Amino acid sequence: MANSTWVTLHDLGRRFGISSIQCGRTLEQEGWRDRHGQPTPAALLAGAVEQRTPHSYGRSFLWNADVCALALERRGYQPVPRAEHVGQWVDLLEAMDHGSPSITTTADQMAEELPQELVEDVNRQLSRRGCRYQVNRPLSGRH
């Protein structure tokens, strides 16, 4: 599974338009997480999870996007189409770039959550809309 994409529950859920909590519950129903949120031996056997750090909590576990997507689809979830996903990010970042007194998060802070594989498409659409904001961050292995 060297070519697999490993993601957090947050990123996995976002691909399906659901919260990380709902995503975790679904993986629990699949038998891949226990009631404490820890991956089960079945998840390891299925190649659904990988522990990246020695700590056994939270973001130390990464989930195989392809294997978990099949499980989520078995449970009735459908991935958000890529174009729709890109459009949602473009709308959000453009609005944040324009600013609002009620928003305390910056566009740069929000862009930290943007999956790496969408950065190029989001930046292209922002440019097409005439928005000067561009996601600018170094490539990382996280996404």
Side-chain angles (χ1 to χ4, degrees), residues 87-110:
Q88 290 170 345
W89 274 102
V90 170
D91 290 344
L92 175 65
L93 293 172
E94 184 178 38
M96 294 189 81
D97 186 51
H98 288 151
S100 168
S102 62
I103 298 175
T104 58
T105 303
T106 67
D108 284 337
Q109 289 169 323
M110 186 57 68

PDB file of all heavy atoms in Angstrom, residues 87-110:
ATOM      1  N   GLY A  87     -15.196  23.802  -5.434  1.00  0.00           N
ATOM      2  CA  GLY A  87     -16.060  24.985  -5.399  1.00  0.00           C
ATOM      3  C   GLY A  87     -16.357  25.452  -3.983  1.00  0.00           C
ATOM      4  O   GLY A  87     -16.384  26.664  -3.711  1.00  0.00           O
ATOM      5  N   GLN A  88     -16.576  24.505  -3.082  1.00  0.00           N
ATOM      6  CA  GLN A  88     -16.841  24.870  -1.685  1.00  0.00           C
ATOM      7  C   GLN A  88     -15.633  25.574  -1.076  1.00  0.00           C
ATOM      8  O   GLN A  88     -15.780  26.577  -0.379  1.00  0.00           O
ATOM      9  CB  GLN A  88     -17.184  23.612  -0.870  1.00  0.00           C
ATOM     10  CG  GLN A  88     -18.521  23.019  -1.220  1.00  0.00           C
ATOM     11  CD  GLN A  88     -18.731  21.649  -0.584  1.00  0.00           C
ATOM     12  OE1 GLN A  88     -17.794  21.005  -0.099  1.00  0.00           O
ATOM     13  NE2 GLN A  88     -19.967  21.195  -0.589  1.00  0.00           N
ATOM     14  N   TRP A  89     -14.440  25.060  -1.349  1.00  0.00           N
ATOM     15  CA  TRP A  89     -13.232  25.690  -0.825  1.00  0.00           C
ATOM     16  C   TRP A  89     -13.025  27.069  -1.428  1.00  0.00           C
ATOM     17  O   TRP A  89     -12.639  28.015  -0.734  1.00  0.00           O
ATOM     18  CB  TRP A  89     -12.006  24.805  -1.075  1.00  0.00           C
ATOM     19  CG  TRP A  89     -11.828  23.795   0.007  1.00  0.00           C
ATOM     20  CD1 TRP A  89     -12.146  22.467  -0.034  1.00  0.00           C
ATOM     21  CD2 TRP A  89     -11.314  24.041   1.312  1.00  0.00           C
ATOM     22  NE1 TRP A  89     -11.858  21.884   1.162  1.00  0.00           N
ATOM     23  CE2 TRP A  89     -11.337  22.809   2.010  1.00  0.00           C
ATOM     24  CE3 TRP A  89     -10.830  25.166   1.957  1.00  0.00           C
ATOM     25  CZ2 TRP A  89     -10.891  22.699   3.324  1.00  0.00           C
ATOM     26  CZ3 TRP A  89     -10.387  25.054   3.264  1.00  0.00           C
ATOM     27  CH2 TRP A  89     -10.430  23.824   3.939  1.00  0.00           C
ATOM     28  N   VAL A  90     -13.271  27.200  -2.722  1.00  0.00           N
ATOM     29  CA  VAL A  90     -13.103  28.494  -3.386  1.00  0.00           C
ATOM     30  C   VAL A  90     -14.051  29.520  -2.767  1.00  0.00           C
ATOM     31  O   VAL A  90     -13.644  30.641  -2.430  1.00  0.00           O
ATOM     32  CB  VAL A  90     -13.326  28.362  -4.916  1.00  0.00           C
ATOM     33  CG1 VAL A  90     -13.403  29.725  -5.581  1.00  0.00           C
ATOM     34  CG2 VAL A  90     -12.212  27.522  -5.539  1.00  0.00           C
ATOM     35  N   ASP A  91     -15.329  29.136  -2.609  1.00  0.00           N
ATOM     36  CA  ASP A  91     -16.309  30.047  -1.997  1.00  0.00           C
ATOM     37  C   ASP A  91     -15.854  30.483  -0.604  1.00  0.00           C
ATOM     38  O   ASP A  91     -15.899  31.667  -0.257  1.00  0.00           O
ATOM     39  CB  ASP A  91     -17.684  29.378  -1.892  1.00  0.00           C
ATOM     40  CG  ASP A  91     -18.360  29.170  -3.238  1.00  0.00           C
ATOM     41  OD1 ASP A  91     -17.934  29.782  -4.235  1.00  0.00           O
ATOM     42  OD2 ASP A  91     -19.319  28.368  -3.281  1.00  0.00           O
ATOM     43  N   LEU A  92     -15.418  29.519   0.187  1.00  0.00           N
ATOM     44  CA  LEU A  92     -15.011  29.798   1.565  1.00  0.00           C
ATOM     45  C   LEU A  92     -13.787  30.721   1.605  1.00  0.00           C
ATOM     46  O   LEU A  92     -13.789  31.740   2.308  1.00  0.00           O
ATOM     47  CB  LEU A  92     -14.710  28.493   2.297  1.00  0.00           C
ATOM     48  CG  LEU A  92     -14.167  28.620   3.711  1.00  0.00           C
ATOM     49  CD1 LEU A  92     -15.199  29.242   4.647  1.00  0.00           C
ATOM     50  CD2 LEU A  92     -13.724  27.263   4.235  1.00  0.00           C
ATOM     51  N   LEU A  93     -12.750  30.371   0.859  1.00  0.00           N
ATOM     52  CA  LEU A  93     -11.522  31.168   0.903  1.00  0.00           C
ATOM     53  C   LEU A  93     -11.710  32.560   0.320  1.00  0.00           C
ATOM     54  O   LEU A  93     -11.151  33.533   0.830  1.00  0.00           O
ATOM     55  CB  LEU A  93     -10.380  30.421   0.196  1.00  0.00           C
ATOM     56  CG  LEU A  93      -9.923  29.148   0.919  1.00  0.00           C
ATOM     57  CD1 LEU A  93      -8.935  28.378   0.052  1.00  0.00           C
ATOM     58  CD2 LEU A  93      -9.326  29.467   2.278  1.00  0.00           C
ATOM     59  N   GLU A  94     -12.524  32.669  -0.721  1.00  0.00           N
ATOM     60  CA  GLU A  94     -12.801  33.980  -1.293  1.00  0.00           C
ATOM     61  C   GLU A  94     -13.532  34.855  -0.276  1.00  0.00           C
ATOM     62  O   GLU A  94     -13.178  36.023  -0.076  1.00  0.00           O
ATOM     63  CB  GLU A  94     -13.640  33.832  -2.567  1.00  0.00           C
ATOM     64  CG  GLU A  94     -13.894  35.144  -3.267  1.00  0.00           C
ATOM     65  CD  GLU A  94     -14.697  34.955  -4.544  1.00  0.00           C
ATOM     66  OE1 GLU A  94     -15.607  34.112  -4.576  1.00  0.00           O
ATOM     67  OE2 GLU A  94     -14.406  35.674  -5.508  1.00  0.00           O
ATOM     68  N   ALA A  95     -14.518  34.293   0.403  1.00  0.00           N
ATOM     69  CA  ALA A  95     -15.257  35.044   1.422  1.00  0.00           C
ATOM     70  C   ALA A  95     -14.340  35.447   2.569  1.00  0.00           C
ATOM     71  O   ALA A  95     -14.399  36.581   3.058  1.00  0.00           O
ATOM     72  CB  ALA A  95     -16.427  34.218   1.936  1.00  0.00           C
ATOM     73  N   MET A  96     -13.470  34.545   2.977  1.00  0.00           N
ATOM     74  CA  MET A  96     -12.558  34.855   4.081  1.00  0.00           C
ATOM     75  C   MET A  96     -11.544  35.914   3.669  1.00  0.00           C
ATOM     76  O   MET A  96     -11.159  36.749   4.474  1.00  0.00           O
ATOM     77  CB  MET A  96     -11.869  33.589   4.562  1.00  0.00           C
ATOM     78  CG  MET A  96     -12.856  32.620   5.189  1.00  0.00           C
ATOM     79  SD  MET A  96     -12.036  31.267   5.966  1.00  0.00           S
ATOM     80  CE  MET A  96     -11.587  32.071   7.510  1.00  0.00           C
ATOM     81  N   ASP A  97     -11.121  35.869   2.423  1.00  0.00           N
ATOM     82  CA  ASP A  97     -10.162  36.862   1.946  1.00  0.00           C
ATOM     83  C   ASP A  97     -10.779  38.261   1.955  1.00  0.00           C
ATOM     84  O   ASP A  97     -10.110  39.238   2.247  1.00  0.00           O
ATOM     85  CB  ASP A  97      -9.679  36.498   0.534  1.00  0.00           C
ATOM     86  CG  ASP A  97      -8.580  37.416   0.058  1.00  0.00           C
ATOM     87  OD1 ASP A  97      -7.594  37.601   0.794  1.00  0.00           O
ATOM     88  OD2 ASP A  97      -8.723  37.968  -1.050  1.00  0.00           O
ATOM     89  N   HIS A  98     -12.063  38.348   1.660  1.00  0.00           N
ATOM     90  CA  HIS A  98     -12.748  39.648   1.691  1.00  0.00           C
ATOM     91  C   HIS A  98     -12.932  40.140   3.115  1.00  0.00           C
ATOM     92  O   HIS A  98     -13.047  41.327   3.339  1.00  0.00           O
ATOM     93  CB  HIS A  98     -14.097  39.566   0.977  1.00  0.00           C
ATOM     94  CG  HIS A  98     -13.956  39.465  -0.506  1.00  0.00           C
ATOM     95  ND1 HIS A  98     -14.865  38.836  -1.285  1.00  0.00           N
ATOM     96  CD2 HIS A  98     -12.988  39.909  -1.353  1.00  0.00           C
ATOM     97  CE1 HIS A  98     -14.486  38.888  -2.544  1.00  0.00           C
ATOM     98  NE2 HIS A  98     -13.345  39.539  -2.606  1.00  0.00           N
ATOM     99  N   GLY A  99     -12.970  39.206   4.052  1.00  0.00           N
ATOM    100  CA  GLY A  99     -13.025  39.570   5.462  1.00  0.00           C
ATOM    101  C   GLY A  99     -14.408  39.914   5.966  1.00  0.00           C
ATOM    102  O   GLY A  99     -15.320  40.239   5.212  1.00  0.00           O
ATOM    103  N   SER A 100     -14.557  39.796   7.260  1.00  0.00           N
ATOM    104  CA  SER A 100     -15.788  40.127   7.968  1.00  0.00           C
ATOM    105  C   SER A 100     -15.418  40.338   9.426  1.00  0.00           C
ATOM    106  O   SER A 100     -14.595  39.603   9.964  1.00  0.00           O
ATOM    107  CB  SER A 100     -16.786  38.973   7.847  1.00  0.00           C
ATOM    108  OG  SER A 100     -17.853  39.163   8.750  1.00  0.00           O
ATOM    109  N   PRO A 101     -16.031  41.340  10.063  1.00  0.00           N
ATOM    110  CA  PRO A 101     -15.695  41.577  11.469  1.00  0.00           C
ATOM    111  C   PRO A 101     -16.047  40.394  12.368  1.00  0.00           C
ATOM    112  O   PRO A 101     -15.468  40.232  13.425  1.00  0.00           O
ATOM    113  CB  PRO A 101     -16.536  42.799  11.848  1.00  0.00           C
ATOM    114  CG  PRO A 101     -17.216  43.265  10.619  1.00  0.00           C
ATOM    115  CD  PRO A 101     -16.967  42.299   9.528  1.00  0.00           C
ATOM    116  N   SER A 102     -16.976  39.542  11.924  1.00  0.00           N
ATOM    117  CA  SER A 102     -17.391  38.424  12.770  1.00  0.00           C
ATOM    118  C   SER A 102     -16.518  37.183  12.583  1.00  0.00           C
ATOM    119  O   SER A 102     -16.661  36.212  13.310  1.00  0.00           O
ATOM    120  CB  SER A 102     -18.853  38.064  12.489  1.00  0.00           C
ATOM    121  OG  SER A 102     -18.995  37.659  11.145  1.00  0.00           O
ATOM    122  N   ILE A 103     -15.605  37.207  11.614  1.00  0.00           N
ATOM    123  CA  ILE A 103     -14.735  36.056  11.366  1.00  0.00           C
ATOM    124  C   ILE A 103     -13.353  36.358  11.934  1.00  0.00           C
ATOM    125  O   ILE A 103     -12.717  37.332  11.546  1.00  0.00           O
ATOM    126  CB  ILE A 103     -14.632  35.754   9.856  1.00  0.00           C
ATOM    127  CG1 ILE A 103     -16.001  35.404   9.287  1.00  0.00           C
ATOM    128  CG2 ILE A 103     -13.644  34.621   9.602  1.00  0.00           C
ATOM    129  CD1 ILE A 103     -16.004  35.218   7.779  1.00  0.00           C
ATOM    130  N   THR A 104     -12.898  35.510  12.846  1.00  0.00           N
ATOM    131  CA  THR A 104     -11.590  35.727  13.461  1.00  0.00           C
ATOM    132  C   THR A 104     -10.510  34.845  12.846  1.00  0.00           C
ATOM    133  O   THR A 104      -9.340  35.071  13.086  1.00  0.00           O
ATOM    134  CB  THR A 104     -11.645  35.460  14.981  1.00  0.00           C
ATOM    135  OG1 THR A 104     -12.081  34.116  15.190  1.00  0.00           O
ATOM    136  CG2 THR A 104     -12.586  36.436  15.668  1.00  0.00           C
ATOM    137  N   THR A 105     -10.896  33.859  12.042  1.00  0.00           N
ATOM    138  CA  THR A 105      -9.935  32.988  11.373  1.00  0.00           C
ATOM    139  C   THR A 105      -9.529  33.634  10.059  1.00  0.00           C
ATOM    140  O   THR A 105     -10.354  34.204   9.357  1.00  0.00           O
ATOM    141  CB  THR A 105     -10.580  31.611  11.092  1.00  0.00           C
ATOM    142  OG1 THR A 105     -11.028  31.055  12.313  1.00  0.00           O
ATOM    143  CG2 THR A 105      -9.598  30.659  10.442  1.00  0.00           C
ATOM    144  N   THR A 106      -8.253  33.540   9.710  1.00  0.00           N
ATOM    145  CA  THR A 106      -7.791  34.104   8.443  1.00  0.00           C
ATOM    146  C   THR A 106      -7.924  33.057   7.330  1.00  0.00           C
ATOM    147  O   THR A 106      -8.024  31.854   7.600  1.00  0.00           O
ATOM    148  CB  THR A 106      -6.319  34.531   8.531  1.00  0.00           C
ATOM    149  OG1 THR A 106      -5.505  33.356   8.690  1.00  0.00           O
ATOM    150  CG2 THR A 106      -6.087  35.512   9.687  1.00  0.00           C
ATOM    151  N   ALA A 107      -7.868  33.518   6.107  1.00  0.00           N
ATOM    152  CA  ALA A 107      -7.903  32.604   4.962  1.00  0.00           C
ATOM    153  C   ALA A 107      -6.706  31.655   5.018  1.00  0.00           C
ATOM    154  O   ALA A 107      -6.843  30.466   4.728  1.00  0.00           O
ATOM    155  CB  ALA A 107      -7.912  33.393   3.657  1.00  0.00           C
ATOM    156  N   ASP A 108      -5.543  32.158   5.421  1.00  0.00           N
ATOM    157  CA  ASP A 108      -4.361  31.295   5.531  1.00  0.00           C
ATOM    158  C   ASP A 108      -4.559  30.199   6.567  1.00  0.00           C
ATOM    159  O   ASP A 108      -4.159  29.053   6.348  1.00  0.00           O
ATOM    160  CB  ASP A 108      -3.118  32.111   5.893  1.00  0.00           C
ATOM    161  CG  ASP A 108      -2.563  32.900   4.719  1.00  0.00           C
ATOM    162  OD1 ASP A 108      -2.833  32.524   3.558  1.00  0.00           O
ATOM    163  OD2 ASP A 108      -1.853  33.893   4.970  1.00  0.00           O
ATOM    164  N   GLN A 109      -5.169  30.547   7.700  1.00  0.00           N
ATOM    165  CA  GLN A 109      -5.426  29.536   8.724  1.00  0.00           C
ATOM    166  C   GLN A 109      -6.397  28.477   8.204  1.00  0.00           C
ATOM    167  O   GLN A 109      -6.204  27.286   8.417  1.00  0.00           O
ATOM    168  CB  GLN A 109      -5.986  30.178   9.992  1.00  0.00           C
ATOM    169  CG  GLN A 109      -4.967  30.994  10.749  1.00  0.00           C
ATOM    170  CD  GLN A 109      -5.597  31.834  11.850  1.00  0.00           C
ATOM    171  OE1 GLN A 109      -6.699  32.365  11.688  1.00  0.00           O
ATOM    172  NE2 GLN A 109      -4.891  31.946  12.970  1.00  0.00           N
ATOM    173  N   MET A 110      -7.431  28.906   7.505  1.00  0.00           N
ATOM    174  CA  MET A 110      -8.406  27.970   6.966  1.00  0.00           C
ATOM    175  C   MET A 110      -7.774  27.102   5.880  1.00  0.00           C
ATOM    176  O   MET A 110      -8.033  25.910   5.790  1.00  0.00           O
ATOM    177  CB  MET A 110      -9.613  28.721   6.414  1.00  0.00           C
ATOM    178  CG  MET A 110     -10.734  27.814   5.971  1.00  0.00           C
ATOM    179  SD  MET A 110     -11.370  26.691   7.237  1.00  0.00           S
ATOM    180  CE  MET A 110     -12.140  27.827   8.355  1.00  0.00           C
TER     181      MET A 110
END
